[in-house]
Amino acid sequence: MRSCKFLKAFMAGLLLTAPLAAMAWGPAGHRITGRAALEMLDETARAEVVALLESGSPSGGRQGVAAAIDEACNWPDAAREQQAWKWSAPLHYVNIPRGADEYDRQRDCRDGLCVTEGILRYADELRRPDLSAQRRWQAFAFVCHLTGDIHQPLHAGFRDDRGGNQVNIAYRGERWNLHEFWDGVLIRERMHDEDAMVEKLACPGTASGTWTLLEPADWATQSHHLARTKGYPDGHVVTAAFADESWPIVQAQLEHAARRLARLLNAVLGQGEVETGR
């Protein structure tokens, strides 16, 4: 059984900055989240996921499991560029007003087109065996991807700067927007061994129990808290110190996303339980 020291260390550190804080990412982040979650599934849920990856994949499921996870968990980003899926773009984030402390569905997602409601929608489709293999594959893809997205702080950021997309920054002499910095710049710069990262994130025994339909709203609130307190540098230059403080948060948030995704999948496909409320 692999060590969980990584999890304990980052959980302890994160508790100093946010209440059980939970942040998505570029392709590497989504792939890591999906691969680590797969390692934490119970036998029933894992068998269901592997079968879905093989039977519903647009590529025919001929690749290995790791490649199939990569294809699925990153598919929603590619799909929203297609005319038939353009409507899904708002599912990847939720905008929360500056000054608001928490996510409010009536205010922030009245039409149901945001990341919190997207997770609930596709978790419900994933648990329906009467749907086609292709549709359940798409549901898995969205559940994996959106669970990653909601754990990136600026995917639950401020409406007035479009989650940091309108905040221009410079980092190591290159220009980005702040959303890009959190999405992938640090991961590309500092993650040198993806397999080792997956092994550290996949902590056995932490993905069991009940999954509650109210949780995505809490995840959005927690990410919004991080956006407000840790997401923005002073000024428009990201210093080495800010990057050094941000990297542990990125790693911890990937762990939260993977563990929560695994618990969701165990509940809807495996031996866990789903509750409608507390």
PDB file of all heavy atoms in Angstrom, residues 204-234:
ATOM      1  N   PRO A 204      -5.030   5.193  -0.779  1.00  0.00           N
ATOM      2  CA  PRO A 204      -6.076   4.189  -0.543  1.00  0.00           C
ATOM      3  C   PRO A 204      -6.833   4.452   0.755  1.00  0.00           C
ATOM      4  O   PRO A 204      -6.282   4.922   1.743  1.00  0.00           O
ATOM      5  CB  PRO A 204      -5.289   2.875  -0.449  1.00  0.00           C
ATOM      6  CG  PRO A 204      -4.014   3.142  -1.164  1.00  0.00           C
ATOM      7  CD  PRO A 204      -3.698   4.586  -0.907  1.00  0.00           C
ATOM      8  N   GLY A 205      -8.125   4.157   0.706  1.00  0.00           N
ATOM      9  CA  GLY A 205      -8.942   4.267   1.906  1.00  0.00           C
ATOM     10  C   GLY A 205      -9.519   5.641   2.167  1.00  0.00           C
ATOM     11  O   GLY A 205     -10.240   5.843   3.135  1.00  0.00           O
ATOM     12  N   THR A 206      -9.206   6.636   1.286  1.00  0.00           N
ATOM     13  CA  THR A 206      -9.711   7.984   1.527  1.00  0.00           C
ATOM     14  C   THR A 206     -10.895   8.332   0.642  1.00  0.00           C
ATOM     15  O   THR A 206     -11.367   9.460   0.663  1.00  0.00           O
ATOM     16  CB  THR A 206      -8.597   9.023   1.288  1.00  0.00           C
ATOM     17  OG1 THR A 206      -8.186   8.950  -0.085  1.00  0.00           O
ATOM     18  CG2 THR A 206      -7.420   8.783   2.200  1.00  0.00           C
ATOM     19  N   ALA A 207     -11.375   7.395  -0.163  1.00  0.00           N
ATOM     20  CA  ALA A 207     -12.446   7.697  -1.112  1.00  0.00           C
ATOM     21  C   ALA A 207     -13.710   6.891  -0.819  1.00  0.00           C
ATOM     22  O   ALA A 207     -14.565   6.759  -1.674  1.00  0.00           O
ATOM     23  CB  ALA A 207     -11.972   7.432  -2.534  1.00  0.00           C
ATOM     24  N   SER A 208     -13.815   6.359   0.361  1.00  0.00           N
ATOM     25  CA  SER A 208     -14.998   5.581   0.709  1.00  0.00           C
ATOM     26  C   SER A 208     -16.032   6.479   1.380  1.00  0.00           C
ATOM     27  O   SER A 208     -15.755   7.625   1.725  1.00  0.00           O
ATOM     28  CB  SER A 208     -14.607   4.429   1.645  1.00  0.00           C
ATOM     29  OG  SER A 208     -14.016   4.946   2.825  1.00  0.00           O
ATOM     30  N   GLY A 209     -17.220   5.949   1.575  1.00  0.00           N
ATOM     31  CA  GLY A 209     -18.252   6.687   2.285  1.00  0.00           C
ATOM     32  C   GLY A 209     -19.325   7.235   1.375  1.00  0.00           C
ATOM     33  O   GLY A 209     -19.423   6.896   0.197  1.00  0.00           O
ATOM     34  N   THR A 210     -20.128   8.120   1.913  1.00  0.00           N
ATOM     35  CA  THR A 210     -21.286   8.672   1.227  1.00  0.00           C
ATOM     36  C   THR A 210     -20.921   9.937   0.462  1.00  0.00           C
ATOM     37  O   THR A 210     -20.119  10.749   0.923  1.00  0.00           O
ATOM     38  CB  THR A 210     -22.387   8.990   2.255  1.00  0.00           C
ATOM     39  OG1 THR A 210     -22.748   7.782   2.929  1.00  0.00           O
ATOM     40  CG2 THR A 210     -23.610   9.587   1.588  1.00  0.00           C
ATOM     41  N   TRP A 211     -21.489  10.076  -0.731  1.00  0.00           N
ATOM     42  CA  TRP A 211     -21.364  11.316  -1.488  1.00  0.00           C
ATOM     43  C   TRP A 211     -22.708  12.029  -1.451  1.00  0.00           C
ATOM     44  O   TRP A 211     -23.756  11.434  -1.707  1.00  0.00           O
ATOM     45  CB  TRP A 211     -20.965  11.034  -2.936  1.00  0.00           C
ATOM     46  CG  TRP A 211     -20.780  12.296  -3.721  1.00  0.00           C
ATOM     47  CD1 TRP A 211     -19.797  13.220  -3.562  1.00  0.00           C
ATOM     48  CD2 TRP A 211     -21.630  12.792  -4.764  1.00  0.00           C
ATOM     49  NE1 TRP A 211     -19.969  14.253  -4.445  1.00  0.00           N
ATOM     50  CE2 TRP A 211     -21.066  14.024  -5.184  1.00  0.00           C
ATOM     51  CE3 TRP A 211     -22.790  12.318  -5.373  1.00  0.00           C
ATOM     52  CZ2 TRP A 211     -21.650  14.784  -6.205  1.00  0.00           C
ATOM     53  CZ3 TRP A 211     -23.363  13.072  -6.385  1.00  0.00           C
ATOM     54  CH2 TRP A 211     -22.801  14.290  -6.805  1.00  0.00           C
ATOM     55  N   THR A 212     -22.684  13.326  -1.109  1.00  0.00           N
ATOM     56  CA  THR A 212     -23.896  14.101  -0.936  1.00  0.00           C
ATOM     57  C   THR A 212     -24.079  15.080  -2.090  1.00  0.00           C
ATOM     58  O   THR A 212     -23.108  15.722  -2.516  1.00  0.00           O
ATOM     59  CB  THR A 212     -23.840  14.879   0.393  1.00  0.00           C
ATOM     60  OG1 THR A 212     -23.640  13.958   1.459  1.00  0.00           O
ATOM     61  CG2 THR A 212     -25.119  15.645   0.638  1.00  0.00           C
ATOM     62  N   LEU A 213     -25.294  15.212  -2.567  1.00  0.00           N
ATOM     63  CA  LEU A 213     -25.560  16.081  -3.707  1.00  0.00           C
ATOM     64  C   LEU A 213     -25.307  17.553  -3.402  1.00  0.00           C
ATOM     65  O   LEU A 213     -25.194  18.368  -4.325  1.00  0.00           O
ATOM     66  CB  LEU A 213     -27.006  15.898  -4.178  1.00  0.00           C
ATOM     67  CG  LEU A 213     -27.405  14.500  -4.650  1.00  0.00           C
ATOM     68  CD1 LEU A 213     -28.822  14.516  -5.211  1.00  0.00           C
ATOM     69  CD2 LEU A 213     -26.438  13.961  -5.697  1.00  0.00           C
ATOM     70  N   LEU A 214     -25.208  17.901  -2.133  1.00  0.00           N
ATOM     71  CA  LEU A 214     -24.919  19.279  -1.765  1.00  0.00           C
ATOM     72  C   LEU A 214     -23.437  19.615  -1.843  1.00  0.00           C
ATOM     73  O   LEU A 214     -23.063  20.785  -1.764  1.00  0.00           O
ATOM     74  CB  LEU A 214     -25.421  19.551  -0.340  1.00  0.00           C
ATOM     75  CG  LEU A 214     -26.924  19.405  -0.105  1.00  0.00           C
ATOM     76  CD1 LEU A 214     -27.254  19.661   1.357  1.00  0.00           C
ATOM     77  CD2 LEU A 214     -27.710  20.357  -0.998  1.00  0.00           C
ATOM     78  N   GLU A 215     -22.585  18.624  -2.009  1.00  0.00           N
ATOM     79  CA  GLU A 215     -21.153  18.861  -1.933  1.00  0.00           C
ATOM     80  C   GLU A 215     -20.602  19.796  -3.004  1.00  0.00           C
ATOM     81  O   GLU A 215     -19.748  20.642  -2.697  1.00  0.00           O
ATOM     82  CB  GLU A 215     -20.392  17.529  -1.943  1.00  0.00           C
ATOM     83  CG  GLU A 215     -20.540  16.749  -0.655  1.00  0.00           C
ATOM     84  CD  GLU A 215     -19.682  15.498  -0.640  1.00  0.00           C
ATOM     85  OE1 GLU A 215     -18.494  15.584  -1.035  1.00  0.00           O
ATOM     86  OE2 GLU A 215     -20.191  14.438  -0.247  1.00  0.00           O
ATOM     87  N   PRO A 216     -20.989  19.683  -4.284  1.00  0.00           N
ATOM     88  CA  PRO A 216     -20.406  20.596  -5.267  1.00  0.00           C
ATOM     89  C   PRO A 216     -20.568  22.065  -4.916  1.00  0.00           C
ATOM     90  O   PRO A 216     -19.675  22.877  -5.216  1.00  0.00           O
ATOM     91  CB  PRO A 216     -21.156  20.228  -6.561  1.00  0.00           C
ATOM     92  CG  PRO A 216     -21.465  18.777  -6.391  1.00  0.00           C
ATOM     93  CD  PRO A 216     -21.818  18.645  -4.929  1.00  0.00           C
ATOM     94  N   ALA A 217     -21.669  22.433  -4.288  1.00  0.00           N
ATOM     95  CA  ALA A 217     -21.835  23.821  -3.852  1.00  0.00           C
ATOM     96  C   ALA A 217     -20.779  24.184  -2.815  1.00  0.00           C
ATOM     97  O   ALA A 217     -20.223  25.292  -2.833  1.00  0.00           O
ATOM     98  CB  ALA A 217     -23.241  24.032  -3.282  1.00  0.00           C
ATOM     99  N   ASP A 218     -20.494  23.252  -1.909  1.00  0.00           N
ATOM    100  CA  ASP A 218     -19.443  23.496  -0.915  1.00  0.00           C
ATOM    101  C   ASP A 218     -18.078  23.608  -1.575  1.00  0.00           C
ATOM    102  O   ASP A 218     -17.257  24.438  -1.192  1.00  0.00           O
ATOM    103  CB  ASP A 218     -19.421  22.368   0.118  1.00  0.00           C
ATOM    104  CG  ASP A 218     -20.653  22.341   1.000  1.00  0.00           C
ATOM    105  OD1 ASP A 218     -21.308  23.385   1.133  1.00  0.00           O
ATOM    106  OD2 ASP A 218     -20.954  21.265   1.559  1.00  0.00           O
ATOM    107  N   TRP A 219     -17.830  22.750  -2.583  1.00  0.00           N
ATOM    108  CA  TRP A 219     -16.537  22.811  -3.278  1.00  0.00           C
ATOM    109  C   TRP A 219     -16.358  24.172  -3.949  1.00  0.00           C
ATOM    110  O   TRP A 219     -15.261  24.743  -3.925  1.00  0.00           O
ATOM    111  CB  TRP A 219     -16.437  21.712  -4.331  1.00  0.00           C
ATOM    112  CG  TRP A 219     -16.617  20.319  -3.801  1.00  0.00           C
ATOM    113  CD1 TRP A 219     -16.572  19.922  -2.488  1.00  0.00           C
ATOM    114  CD2 TRP A 219     -16.877  19.141  -4.570  1.00  0.00           C
ATOM    115  NE1 TRP A 219     -16.795  18.564  -2.402  1.00  0.00           N
ATOM    116  CE2 TRP A 219     -16.974  18.059  -3.656  1.00  0.00           C
ATOM    117  CE3 TRP A 219     -17.026  18.891  -5.929  1.00  0.00           C
ATOM    118  CZ2 TRP A 219     -17.225  16.746  -4.082  1.00  0.00           C
ATOM    119  CZ3 TRP A 219     -17.285  17.589  -6.350  1.00  0.00           C
ATOM    120  CH2 TRP A 219     -17.365  16.531  -5.424  1.00  0.00           C
ATOM    121  N   ALA A 220     -17.434  24.699  -4.544  1.00  0.00           N
ATOM    122  CA  ALA A 220     -17.353  26.012  -5.187  1.00  0.00           C
ATOM    123  C   ALA A 220     -17.053  27.099  -4.166  1.00  0.00           C
ATOM    124  O   ALA A 220     -16.229  27.993  -4.408  1.00  0.00           O
ATOM    125  CB  ALA A 220     -18.653  26.320  -5.931  1.00  0.00           C
ATOM    126  N   THR A 221     -17.716  27.032  -3.027  1.00  0.00           N
ATOM    127  CA  THR A 221     -17.466  28.016  -1.969  1.00  0.00           C
ATOM    128  C   THR A 221     -16.027  27.949  -1.488  1.00  0.00           C
ATOM    129  O   THR A 221     -15.357  28.968  -1.284  1.00  0.00           O
ATOM    130  CB  THR A 221     -18.430  27.788  -0.800  1.00  0.00           C
ATOM    131  OG1 THR A 221     -19.765  28.105  -1.228  1.00  0.00           O
ATOM    132  CG2 THR A 221     -18.071  28.666   0.400  1.00  0.00           C
ATOM    133  N   GLN A 222     -15.517  26.739  -1.302  1.00  0.00           N
ATOM    134  CA  GLN A 222     -14.146  26.567  -0.825  1.00  0.00           C
ATOM    135  C   GLN A 222     -13.137  27.097  -1.844  1.00  0.00           C
ATOM    136  O   GLN A 222     -12.154  27.764  -1.489  1.00  0.00           O
ATOM    137  CB  GLN A 222     -13.909  25.093  -0.512  1.00  0.00           C
ATOM    138  CG  GLN A 222     -14.715  24.603   0.682  1.00  0.00           C
ATOM    139  CD  GLN A 222     -14.930  23.096   0.680  1.00  0.00           C
ATOM    140  OE1 GLN A 222     -14.347  22.367  -0.124  1.00  0.00           O
ATOM    141  NE2 GLN A 222     -15.763  22.620   1.597  1.00  0.00           N
ATOM    142  N   SER A 223     -13.355  26.813  -3.125  1.00  0.00           N
ATOM    143  CA  SER A 223     -12.457  27.326  -4.166  1.00  0.00           C
ATOM    144  C   SER A 223     -12.542  28.842  -4.254  1.00  0.00           C
ATOM    145  O   SER A 223     -11.529  29.516  -4.473  1.00  0.00           O
ATOM    146  CB  SER A 223     -12.801  26.693  -5.513  1.00  0.00           C
ATOM    147  OG  SER A 223     -12.398  25.345  -5.549  1.00  0.00           O
ATOM    148  N   HIS A 224     -13.737  29.380  -4.107  1.00  0.00           N
ATOM    149  CA  HIS A 224     -13.900  30.835  -4.140  1.00  0.00           C
ATOM    150  C   HIS A 224     -13.128  31.482  -2.995  1.00  0.00           C
ATOM    151  O   HIS A 224     -12.526  32.553  -3.162  1.00  0.00           O
ATOM    152  CB  HIS A 224     -15.380  31.196  -4.074  1.00  0.00           C
ATOM    153  CG  HIS A 224     -15.646  32.662  -4.167  1.00  0.00           C
ATOM    154  ND1 HIS A 224     -15.354  33.400  -5.294  1.00  0.00           N
ATOM    155  CD2 HIS A 224     -16.161  33.547  -3.265  1.00  0.00           C
ATOM    156  CE1 HIS A 224     -15.688  34.663  -5.095  1.00  0.00           C
ATOM    157  NE2 HIS A 224     -16.172  34.773  -3.869  1.00  0.00           N
ATOM    158  N   HIS A 225     -13.138  30.832  -1.840  1.00  0.00           N
ATOM    159  CA  HIS A 225     -12.367  31.349  -0.706  1.00  0.00           C
ATOM    160  C   HIS A 225     -10.886  31.415  -1.059  1.00  0.00           C
ATOM    161  O   HIS A 225     -10.199  32.402  -0.759  1.00  0.00           O
ATOM    162  CB  HIS A 225     -12.582  30.462   0.522  1.00  0.00           C
ATOM    163  CG  HIS A 225     -11.755  30.876   1.708  1.00  0.00           C
ATOM    164  ND1 HIS A 225     -12.140  31.863   2.571  1.00  0.00           N
ATOM    165  CD2 HIS A 225     -10.548  30.442   2.145  1.00  0.00           C
ATOM    166  CE1 HIS A 225     -11.221  32.024   3.499  1.00  0.00           C
ATOM    167  NE2 HIS A 225     -10.228  31.166   3.268  1.00  0.00           N
ATOM    168  N   LEU A 226     -10.380  30.374  -1.698  1.00  0.00           N
ATOM    169  CA  LEU A 226      -8.976  30.386  -2.104  1.00  0.00           C
ATOM    170  C   LEU A 226      -8.706  31.458  -3.147  1.00  0.00           C
ATOM    171  O   LEU A 226      -7.652  32.105  -3.134  1.00  0.00           O
ATOM    172  CB  LEU A 226      -8.573  29.018  -2.643  1.00  0.00           C
ATOM    173  CG  LEU A 226      -8.280  27.942  -1.603  1.00  0.00           C
ATOM    174  CD1 LEU A 226      -7.905  26.643  -2.299  1.00  0.00           C
ATOM    175  CD2 LEU A 226      -7.158  28.371  -0.682  1.00  0.00           C
ATOM    176  N   ALA A 227      -9.640  31.645  -4.076  1.00  0.00           N
ATOM    177  CA  ALA A 227      -9.466  32.691  -5.082  1.00  0.00           C
ATOM    178  C   ALA A 227      -9.326  34.052  -4.414  1.00  0.00           C
ATOM    179  O   ALA A 227      -8.481  34.872  -4.793  1.00  0.00           O
ATOM    180  CB  ALA A 227     -10.636  32.688  -6.058  1.00  0.00           C
ATOM    181  N   ARG A 228     -10.152  34.285  -3.409  1.00  0.00           N
ATOM    182  CA  ARG A 228     -10.127  35.582  -2.727  1.00  0.00           C
ATOM    183  C   ARG A 228      -8.876  35.773  -1.891  1.00  0.00           C
ATOM    184  O   ARG A 228      -8.320  36.876  -1.821  1.00  0.00           O
ATOM    185  CB  ARG A 228     -11.357  35.729  -1.813  1.00  0.00           C
ATOM    186  CG  ARG A 228     -12.669  35.920  -2.562  1.00  0.00           C
ATOM    187  CD  ARG A 228     -13.797  36.289  -1.615  1.00  0.00           C
ATOM    188  NE  ARG A 228     -14.096  35.203  -0.686  1.00  0.00           N
ATOM    189  CZ  ARG A 228     -14.061  35.307   0.636  1.00  0.00           C
ATOM    190  NH1 ARG A 228     -13.695  36.438   1.201  1.00  0.00           N
ATOM    191  NH2 ARG A 228     -14.389  34.286   1.395  1.00  0.00           N
ATOM    192  N   THR A 229      -8.403  34.718  -1.224  1.00  0.00           N
ATOM    193  CA  THR A 229      -7.336  34.869  -0.242  1.00  0.00           C
ATOM    194  C   THR A 229      -5.949  34.507  -0.765  1.00  0.00           C
ATOM    195  O   THR A 229      -4.945  35.003  -0.254  1.00  0.00           O
ATOM    196  CB  THR A 229      -7.626  34.016   1.002  1.00  0.00           C
ATOM    197  OG1 THR A 229      -7.700  32.620   0.624  1.00  0.00           O
ATOM    198  CG2 THR A 229      -8.940  34.430   1.654  1.00  0.00           C
ATOM    199  N   LYS A 230      -5.878  33.632  -1.796  1.00  0.00           N
ATOM    200  CA  LYS A 230      -4.582  33.147  -2.260  1.00  0.00           C
ATOM    201  C   LYS A 230      -4.375  33.259  -3.762  1.00  0.00           C
ATOM    202  O   LYS A 230      -3.279  32.976  -4.248  1.00  0.00           O
ATOM    203  CB  LYS A 230      -4.414  31.667  -1.862  1.00  0.00           C
ATOM    204  CG  LYS A 230      -4.450  31.403  -0.365  1.00  0.00           C
ATOM    205  CD  LYS A 230      -3.265  32.022   0.336  1.00  0.00           C
ATOM    206  CE  LYS A 230      -3.301  31.747   1.832  1.00  0.00           C
ATOM    207  NZ  LYS A 230      -2.134  32.375   2.515  1.00  0.00           N
ATOM    208  N   GLY A 231      -5.399  33.657  -4.487  1.00  0.00           N
ATOM    209  CA  GLY A 231      -5.336  33.543  -5.940  1.00  0.00           C
ATOM    210  C   GLY A 231      -4.654  34.679  -6.664  1.00  0.00           C
ATOM    211  O   GLY A 231      -4.241  34.516  -7.814  1.00  0.00           O
ATOM    212  N   TYR A 232      -4.502  35.849  -6.038  1.00  0.00           N
ATOM    213  CA  TYR A 232      -4.041  37.035  -6.735  1.00  0.00           C
ATOM    214  C   TYR A 232      -2.724  37.542  -6.159  1.00  0.00           C
ATOM    215  O   TYR A 232      -2.611  37.734  -4.950  1.00  0.00           O
ATOM    216  CB  TYR A 232      -5.092  38.153  -6.638  1.00  0.00           C
ATOM    217  CG  TYR A 232      -6.321  37.884  -7.480  1.00  0.00           C
ATOM    218  CD1 TYR A 232      -7.243  36.904  -7.097  1.00  0.00           C
ATOM    219  CD2 TYR A 232      -6.548  38.585  -8.652  1.00  0.00           C
ATOM    220  CE1 TYR A 232      -8.367  36.643  -7.877  1.00  0.00           C
ATOM    221  CE2 TYR A 232      -7.676  38.341  -9.429  1.00  0.00           C
ATOM    222  CZ  TYR A 232      -8.577  37.370  -9.040  1.00  0.00           C
ATOM    223  OH  TYR A 232      -9.680  37.109  -9.810  1.00  0.00           O
ATOM    224  N   PRO A 233      -1.740  37.789  -7.013  1.00  0.00           N
ATOM    225  CA  PRO A 233      -0.494  38.392  -6.540  1.00  0.00           C
ATOM    226  C   PRO A 233      -0.688  39.880  -6.308  1.00  0.00           C
ATOM    227  O   PRO A 233      -1.686  40.464  -6.743  1.00  0.00           O
ATOM    228  CB  PRO A 233       0.466  38.143  -7.703  1.00  0.00           C
ATOM    229  CG  PRO A 233      -0.422  38.180  -8.909  1.00  0.00           C
ATOM    230  CD  PRO A 233      -1.735  37.559  -8.463  1.00  0.00           C
ATOM    231  N   ASP A 234       0.269  40.494  -5.620  1.00  0.00           N
ATOM    232  CA  ASP A 234       0.266  41.947  -5.495  1.00  0.00           C
ATOM    233  C   ASP A 234       0.798  42.529  -6.798  1.00  0.00           C
ATOM    234  O   ASP A 234       1.946  42.295  -7.176  1.00  0.00           O
ATOM    235  CB  ASP A 234       1.156  42.394  -4.330  1.00  0.00           C
ATOM    236  CG  ASP A 234       0.604  41.939  -2.990  1.00  0.00           C
ATOM    237  OD1 ASP A 234      -0.627  41.840  -2.866  1.00  0.00           O
ATOM    238  OD2 ASP A 234       1.418  41.678  -2.077  1.00  0.00           O
TER     239      ASP A 234
END
